[in-house]
Amino acid sequence: MLKGKKILLTVGPTREYLDPVRFITNESSGKMGFAIAEELHKENAELIIVCGPVNIQPKVPDRNIKKITTALEMYEECQKHFSDVDIAIFTAAVADYRPKHQANSKIKKDGNIATVEFVKNPDIAAEFGKIKMPHQISVGFALETDNVIENAQEKLTKKGFDMIVINSPNHGEGFGYDTNKVSILINGQNIKDYPLKSKSEVAKDIVDKIKSLL
Ligand code: CTP
């Protein structure tokens, strides 16, 4: 069913540099994104994986992986593929902001308080949502702590997702762990809660749900 389908995945964190040796990033390990990629690879989908700095050896061919570092680079790489993918899956923890100025040489310390000004990064999923054609499917992720269903529904509508996978920051779930506990919301349907499972089992649930949208 997914054989030959062109699927774009964003995976992992991004890094936003302050100077050549310092950057802002987040806890994303890329494990969930690559677990989904491996599941899709088993189904013979045609993958384009745009991936931030991660420390894992995925079981997908190297030629399918485009390595990037910053959110702007991730956006530029994704833009090359937006028009000809069947499905886009946004698992990356993209930094929402980047430092306004990036110093060319290492910043020296100066005084007791330092201030950094940030500017907004492009919202890659939302940009795809704006130009997406009716036959294209968009899948997003959300990490929510409060008003989970309302916030996820709002994110789904705002970013033009057909389906959103909600995970929580609790112990044993999500960032860095090998297990995850998710709920899946498909536009216009009731939310479905899944128990704590290995990330490869969660990936299978997610891929099954995506298939149900085709
Ligand atoms: N996303 C993206 N580009 C961004 C920010 C987020 O593509 N610049 C994608 C993520 O990959 C994820 C979804 O949007 O699929 C939701 O990300 P999340 O960080 O939960 O949402 P935000 O829009 O950043 O909202 P907030 O952090 O305020 O909850």
Side-chain angles (χ1 to χ4, degrees), residues 90-92 94-96 122-125 140-143 155 159 161:
F90 299 96
T91 77
V94 185
D96 290 325
D123 188 320
I124 304 171
F141 272 70
L143 186 72
K155 225 167 251 184
K159 302 200 190 202
F161 293 137

Side-chain angles (χ1 to χ4, degrees), residues 2 12 16 29-30 71 80 113 123 145 156 166 212:
L2 291 171
E16 311 302 324
S29 64
K80 294 181 199 165
I113 295 176
D123 188 320
T145 49
L156 181 142
I166 306 153
S212 79

Side-chain angles (χ1 to χ4, degrees), residues 29 116 162:
S29 64
V116 180
D162 299 283

